[in-house]
Amino acid sequence: MDKTIILAVETSCDETAVAIVKDGKEVLADVVASQISTHQKFGGVVPEVASRKHLELINIIIEEALNKANLKIPDLTHFAVTYGPGLVGALLVGVATTKAMSFAAEKPLIGVHHIEGHVYANFLTHSDIEFPVVCLIVSGGHTTLIKILEHGKYEFLGQTRDDAAGEAFDKISRALGLGYPGGPKIELKAKEGNPKAVNLPRAWLEEGSYDFSFSGLKSAVLNYLNQCEMKNIPINKADIAASFQEAVVEVLVEKTVGAAVKEKVKTILLAGGVAANSVLRTRLSLRAEEKGFRLVYPPMKYCTDNAAMIGAAAHYKVLRGEFAGLNLNAVPNLKFSDYTSG
Ligand code: KG4
Ligand code: ZN
């Protein structure tokens, strides 16, 4: 089937999101109810609270998406849902609801890996991407470099050995008292700071490695803050934020461009919540242009969690005939490599 109108659901973390996507690219509705204000007072996502909120919101958000698209359930061709990785209780709300819709409407079900969704956010707005490509996925839970050979065929080039890039942003933001979620707060603060003010380490790892490590950088910032406190030196949050952001971006950009050169691809994709970072977007654009690569990244609203990206990924799964049964379950620690190998 070429023509699809997919209702997609994403509830893996703190966003209750429903979208209706036509043919993997036309977004007929895209509703995202963020729980940020609920979790802000706790300084991070509280899993139990997240599941309850999803449960309260999911039916309302589905109705809203259908109304926005001016469609009724029988108009849809498929139902798609993120089934991992993520918070188990949060995922279960999306999985159970979507299975119920698929069963009641007698329309096929598609289970999508959250990270494949992030990758496919790029295909929502760029239908002319030519394979093979190298894709950097940077989110709160992942920092992964992959090569995409064709739709659904992935080769793993490297990944973080400890913290994900987004996780590092969140932890440093908390240490600086800037709040949650950390990425946008650090980015904003860094605008007033000097990225060369504080000397911080870059973990390049072994020659030719496309793995990442951010725990050394995180410790270096925490040590620097402790030292300042012990010596009674006033800290400049803007300078620390800018220097930290610089260290993360430099490693992400160089490793990604290095991988693209080695793999002899023509195009680089950027995906995940950290792809919303404008310093990363600008710096990677410049380096890609210097080296003759085309860089593609999603519009801001499709970088962080949303359901349109799940609908896009699901469209290509339909074309490959990859459907889920009604026994689909939430898999909180679903590995991308396990998902793609079967
Ligand atoms: O993809 P996402 O919405 O959820 C996960 O799949 O994890 O990514 C969330 C992560 C958070 O760690 C957040 O701090 C980070 O993306 N993030 C950013 C920015 N916006 C969100 N990091 C750096 N700069 C940003 N502007
Ligand atoms: Zn995400």
Side-chain angles (χ1 to χ4, degrees):
M1 176 188 282
D2 288 349
K3 297 277 167 218
T4 59
I5 301 179
I6 302 179
L7 186 144
V9 174
E10 155 65 50
T11 61
S12 66
C13 192
D14 58 345
E15 257 95 30
T16 316
V18 177
I20 301 175
V21 181
K22 189 173 170 192
D23 297 333
K25 52 180 187 283
E26 204 182 322
V27 182
L28 305 180
D30 172 33
V31 188
V32 181
S34 172
Q35 304 178 4
I36 286 179
S37 57
T38 306
H39 297 283
Q40 233 152 16
K41 47 185 172 289
F42 303 107
V45 180
V46 184
E48 198 47 42
V49 176
S51 330
R52 275 167 193 269
K53 276 271 155 203
H54 285 309
L55 209 49
E56 277 169 28
L57 289 168
I58 190 74
N59 288 344
I60 301 167
I61 303 293
I62 291 168
E63 285 277 323
E64 195 177 326
L66 285 166
N67 287 340
K68 281 205 167 144
N70 203 12
L71 292 174
K72 303 230 172 309
I73 295 257
D75 301 323
L76 306 167
T77 58
H78 302 82
F79 292 88
V81 64
T82 306
Y83 71 102
L87 304 168
V88 66
L91 287 165
L92 273 170
V93 175
V95 170
T97 309
T98 313
K99 284 202 300 195
M101 287 191 289
S102 157
F103 178 68
E106 299 179 349
K107 297 281 169 64
L109 176 70
I110 300 112
V112 177
H113 191 291
H114 182 73
I115 289 305
E116 189 175 47
H118 275 302
V119 171
Y120 273 84
N122 283 292
F123 291 84
L124 282 171
T125 40
H126 300 85
S127 50
D128 58 343
I129 295 169
E130 282 181 31
F131 296 117
V133 301
V134 158
C135 179
L136 172 69
I137 305 151
V138 265
S139 70
H142 288 77
T143 302
T144 308
L145 259 174
I146 57 172
K147 182 177 178 182
I148 312 178
L149 307 172
E150 57 185 82
H151 285 297
K153 270 209 162 173
Y154 308 99
E155 222 174 80
F156 290 81
L157 307 175
Q159 62 182 339
T160 184
R161 294 182 184 172
D162 38 61
D163 291 351
E167 193 181 354
F169 268 95
D170 294 337
K171 286 178 178 168
I172 297 307
S173 178
R174 191 189 293 214
L176 291 174
L178 298 177
Y180 155 88
K185 307 267 185 196
I186 297 247
E187 181 176 355
L188 194 65
K189 197 74 192 166
K191 286 194 204 302
E192 310 152 17
N194 171 7
K196 295 203 172 81
V198 187
N199 194 11
L200 295 171
R202 274 83 168 140
W204 298 110
L205 306 174
E206 310 82 52
E207 176 87 33
S209 167
Y210 295 108
D211 278 352
F212 300 90
S213 167
F214 295 107
S215 68
L217 171 62
K218 181 188 67 191
S219 303
V221 176
L222 299 179
N223 283 342
Y224 176 81
L225 288 171
N226 276 337
Q227 295 275 324
C228 290
E229 198 181 328
M230 272 158 49
K231 294 180 189 158
N232 244 333
I233 303 169
I235 61 158
N236 182 325
K237 290 187 184 182
D239 280 350
I240 300 169
S243 303
F244 163 77
Q245 179 174 259
E246 180 70 21
V248 175
V249 167
E250 192 181 320
V251 175
L252 291 176
V253 168
E254 291 313 314
K255 292 221 175 211
T256 304
V257 172
V261 170
K262 179 163 172 276
E263 298 297 328
K264 299 188 174 65
V265 299
K266 295 200 176 81
T267 305
I268 298 173
L269 310 187
L270 187 55
V274 184
N277 186 283
S278 59
V279 177
L280 174 61
R281 290 158 89 102
T282 311
R283 200 70 62 77
L284 191 52
S285 293
L286 288 174
R287 284 292 281 147
E289 201 181 310
E290 255 172 48
K291 294 274 188 185
F293 295 111
R294 175 186 184 206
L295 175 69
V296 175
Y297 47 73
M300 291 288 205
K301 65 174 176 177
Y302 297 140
C303 286
T304 45
D305 289 350
N306 65 87
M309 66 184 196
I310 304 301
H315 169 77
Y316 293 93
K317 292 198 78 168
V318 171
L319 298 187
R320 300 198 293 274
E322 295 174 13
F323 298 103
L326 285 174
N327 59 349
L328 182 73
N329 205 352
V331 184
N333 56 358
L334 182 65
K335 296 240 180 339
F336 198 36
S337 48
D338 293 344
Y339 167 84
T340 51
S341 61

